[in-house]
């Protein structure tokens, strides 16, 4: 509309939009909602921390089990080739932390004990018929802040081939 010299009428002011008398959230309601949300977020963060620690502990246990099985298989291979091999002599072999290739955070003890008799029950035999092999792998989980050492034990019995 071109300017006619008359001021344009102002539109009538409207009252604020209200739905069934509601006017919005009060400060108390906002604080309570924020507090509930904060508690939920803290609980989720704690849950993630426990989950991460559990995964790390499981990984350490799996690696330790693999290292124990690896050593038992090596001893079995020796026994199949030569039952009298000096590396199969009764005693304990210790591999310290850092001595196992690709596993510096683990240490391994291999204990071999000789047994004899028909049922491999004689602990001090004249003729060795069986060898009990126990492999213990120890490690310290990274997630364990207390630095407690954990261990995995595997035990097998080897019988001489006749």
């Amino acid at each position: 509309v071109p300017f006619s010299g008359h001021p344009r009428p102002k539109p009538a002011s409207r009252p604020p939009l209200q739905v069934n008398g509601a006017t919005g959230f009060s400060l108390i309601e906002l604080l309570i909602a924020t507090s509930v949300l904060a508690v939920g977020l803290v609980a989720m963060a704690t849950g993630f921390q426990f989950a991460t620690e559990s995964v790390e502990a499981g990984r350490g246990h799996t690696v330790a089990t693999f290292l124990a099985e690896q050593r038992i298989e090596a001893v079995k291979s020796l026994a199949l080739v030569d039952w009298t091999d000096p590396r199969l002599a009764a005693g304990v072999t210790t591999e310290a932390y850092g001595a196992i290739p690709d596993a510096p955070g683990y240490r391994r003890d291999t204990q071999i004990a000789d047994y004899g008799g028909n049922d491999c029950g004689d602990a001090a035999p004249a003729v060795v018929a069986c060898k009990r092999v126990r492999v213990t792998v120890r490690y310290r989980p990274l997630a364990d802040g207390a630095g407690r050492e954990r261990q995995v034990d595997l035990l097998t019995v080897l019988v001489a081939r006749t």
Side-chain angles (χ1 to χ4, degrees):
V1 176
F3 182 71
S4 63
H6 297 288
R8 186 179 232 184
K10 292 184 180 181
S13 65
R14 294 184 215 156
L17 182 62
Q18 293 183 358
V19 179
N20 295 335
T23 59
F25 296 107
S26 69
L27 182 60
I28 296 295
E29 289 171 327
L30 267 169
L31 288 174
I32 290 172
T34 304
S35 298
V36 168
L37 185 61
V39 167
L41 290 174
V42 167
M44 277 182 41
T46 303
F48 283 127
Q49 178 185 359
F50 284 126
T52 302
E53 289 174 1
S54 295
V55 167
E56 177 62 29
R59 186 191 70 77
H61 190 81
T62 300
V63 170
T65 302
F66 171 76
L67 292 171
E69 289 174 344
Q70 180 185 50
R71 182 68 176 131
I72 283 180
E73 290 302 318
V75 171
K76 281 182 185 178
S77 295
L78 283 172
L80 285 172
V81 173
D82 182 8
W83 182 256
T84 61
D85 189 305
R87 293 174 287 182
L88 293 174
V92 177
T93 304
T94 299
E95 297 167 275
Y97 284 112
I100 303 171
D102 299 323
Y106 297 82
R107 66 184 181 101
R108 180 168 55 194
D109 296 326
T110 305
Q111 179 184 18
I112 299 176
D114 293 338
Y115 288 87
N118 292 335
D119 61 354
C120 295
D122 298 338
V127 176
V128 176
C130 306
K131 293 183 178 286
R132 187 183 74 182
V133 181
R134 167 177 251 129
V135 178
T136 303
V137 177
R138 293 179 177 86
Y139 65 100
R140 288 190 176 92
L142 296 176
D144 185 6
R148 292 178 302 221
E149 193 173 61
R150 294 188 182 187
Q151 74 181 42
V152 171
D153 286 305
L154 292 183
L155 176 70
T156 192
V157 176
L158 306 177
V159 179
R161 297 177 133 215
T162 55

